[in-house]
Amino acid sequence: MVISGHERLTDVVAAAVEVAAEAAEAGTYTADVGRTLTDVVGKVGARIALDAEVRGFTSGWQEAMSLAAPKASPEAQVLRMPGSPDRAESP
């Protein structure tokens, strides 16, 4: 099962609110605790956004390449680049 970015961020925000509530009940909630929890949520959100951008770019690129690439024929050949490790260099 794949967890969506929205579900991940929802879980992180819920955990941050829970930690804040527990700190408030214990009398240990400070501005630093609030800033730290905010930073955690912000960093997770940034990672989720970056992951979504990369996935979107990758899937878009793959779709574009599949549409632009000519279909391979049964007689397709594999060509090796000069200097590839499986080919001896000529003197």
Side-chain angles (χ1 to χ4, degrees):
M1 181 173 101
V2 176
I3 298 175
S4 72
H6 176 74
E7 290 171 334
R8 286 174 48 202
L9 189 57
T10 300
D11 289 345
V12 170
V13 170
V17 169
E18 187 177 335
V19 168
E22 289 173 1
E25 286 177 4
T28 59
Y29 187 88
T30 63
D32 286 338
V33 171
R35 280 190 289 275
T36 301
L37 293 173
T38 301
D39 288 346
V40 168
V41 171
K43 287 190 182 285
V44 170
R47 287 182 184 158
I48 290 169
L50 181 62
D51 288 347
E53 286 181 27
V54 169
R55 272 195 313 276
F57 174 80
T58 301
S59 64
W61 179 262
Q62 289 171 346
E63 182 180 348
M65 290 298 100
S66 69
L67 292 174
K71 302 298 178 206
S73 68
E75 303 87 36
Q77 297 178 1
V78 175
L79 301 176
R80 304 273 183 226
M81 295 297 295
S84 63
D86 59 339
R87 183 174 169 194
E89 290 291 321
S90 306

